[in-house]
């Protein structure tokens, strides 16, 4: 039984829970982070010295970093489906996972999202927000164009490559900000929402849930 540490509303934990359900993995989830505490306790720091969430335990294996966890779970429990066997297709999925972590999310989307949802309007830096919004529209336009003629980021089938970007798209689609129409991205969001694990672990939460 895999143990997944982290509060359910956290985007990086949502990736892992969504992935676990897609892969049909038996797991237990343990609340940690924010008001749940736990992350500063020595027993948690022994598992994850960053004091961040998520962390998983699978037998003797302890792993942190959400995208690494998603890669591991897919390779271990969903090889040939969520983790493509073909190395080119796998690298393509990896590419979108890395793009989510290093280009889309950190620092741009994370800063934008946290400002919109956690900072009182009077304290928001509107010039900074406008710049971040411009960058995000450029990035989502790139993905929108990529999705023309294909259902998922790696082609016609859902893979691990869809999981990190899927969690960010959910927040982007629901935060109360202006979004230029993006037909393919909107259709992709609907396709993700047709998956019960996505509704359970991602879009079923309030966009600003803590
Ligand atoms: N790069 C790490 C980031 C982990 C991270 O920052 N997680 C956030 C939640 S999404 C966290 O631990 N926040 C503090 C908390 O919830 O107590 C990953 O992808 O796992």
């Amino acid at each position: 039984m895999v143990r997944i540490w982290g509060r359910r509303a956290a985007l990086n934990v949502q990736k892992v829970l969504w992935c676990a359900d897609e892969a049909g993995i038996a797991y237990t989830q343990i609340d940690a982070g924010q008001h749940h505490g736990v992350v500063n306790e020595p027993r948690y720091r022994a598992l994850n010295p960053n004091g961040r969430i998520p962390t998983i335990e699978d037998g003797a294996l302890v792993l942190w970093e959400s995208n690494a966890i998603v890669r591991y779970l897919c390779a271990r429990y969903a090889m040939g489906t969520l983790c493509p066997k073909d190395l080119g297709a796998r690298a393509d999925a990896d590419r979108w996972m890395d793009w989510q972590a290093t280009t889309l999310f950190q620092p741009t989307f994370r800063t934008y999202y946290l400002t919109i949802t956690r900072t009182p309007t009077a304290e928001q830096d509107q010039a900074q927000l406008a710049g971040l919004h411009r960058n995000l529209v450029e990035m989502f336009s790139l993905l929108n164009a990529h999705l023309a003629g294909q259902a998922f980021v790696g082609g016609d089938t859902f893979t691990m490559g869809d999981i990190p970007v899927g969690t960010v798209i959910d927040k982007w689609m629901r935060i109360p900000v202006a979004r230029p129409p993006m037909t393919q991205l909107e259709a992709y969001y609907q396709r993700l929402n047709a998956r019960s694990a996505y509704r359970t672990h991602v879009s079923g939460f309030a966009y600003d849930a803590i």
Side-chain angles (χ1 to χ4, degrees):
M1 174 84 71
V2 174
R3 302 177 94 189
I4 301 175
W5 295 81
R7 59 192 170 84
R8 290 178 178 274
L11 181 145
N12 288 310
V13 176
Q14 291 181 348
K15 291 176 192 171
V16 175
L17 293 170
W18 175 23
C19 174
D21 274 4
E22 292 281 0
I25 298 168
Y27 62 86
T28 51
Q29 177 267 340
I30 305 147
D31 281 328
Q34 297 277 11
H35 54 285
H36 300 287
V38 178
V39 294
N40 290 322
E41 292 174 10
R43 69 184 171 122
Y44 187 82
R45 289 281 171 146
L47 299 176
N48 184 344
N50 300 288
R52 314 293 289 181
I53 50 169
T55 302
I56 68 156
E57 293 174 89
D58 188 12
L61 177 75
V62 176
L63 197 59
W64 40 264
E65 274 304 324
S66 58
N67 286 4
I69 294 170
V70 169
R71 281 193 181 95
Y72 164 74
L73 293 177
C74 293
R76 175 99 168 73
Y77 296 102
M79 180 54 79
T81 54
L82 299 180
C83 179
K85 272 195 182 138
D86 175 79
L87 290 182
R90 194 184 307 170
D92 187 59
D94 275 337
R95 175 255 300 267
W96 287 106
M97 295 176 76
D98 287 356
W99 181 78
Q100 180 272 344
T102 63
T103 301
L104 178 65
F105 188 70
Q106 191 75 279
T108 313
F109 189 81
R110 182 173 184 276
T111 309
Y112 187 74
Y113 170 77
L114 290 179
T115 307
I116 297 284
T117 58
R118 310 267 189 268
T119 310
T121 312
E123 292 168 30
Q124 293 173 355
D125 179 340
Q126 295 304 327
Q128 183 204 29
L129 272 181
L132 292 169
H133 186 271
R134 240 187 338 271
N135 293 341
L136 287 170
V137 168
E138 261 179 43
M139 288 188 258
F140 284 118
S141 301
L142 175 159
L143 183 54
N144 183 54
H146 175 74
L147 288 166
Q150 63 185 64
F152 297 101
V153 296
D156 288 337
T157 52
F158 179 85
T159 67
M160 62 185 186
D162 294 291
I163 292 177
V165 292
T167 56
V168 178
I169 285 164
D170 173 66
K171 303 284 184 285
W172 170 247
M173 288 299 185
R174 295 195 294 143
I175 49 178
V177 299
R179 279 175 298 276
M182 293 191 194
T183 312
Q184 280 84 238
L185 197 70
E186 286 153 22
Y188 178 59
Y189 184 50
Q190 278 181 17
R191 274 192 292 279
L192 294 179
N193 266 300
R195 311 183 76 84
S196 66
Y198 186 73
R199 294 194 304 276
T200 301
H201 295 297
V202 185
S203 61
F205 283 78
Y207 69 83
D208 56 353
I210 293 179

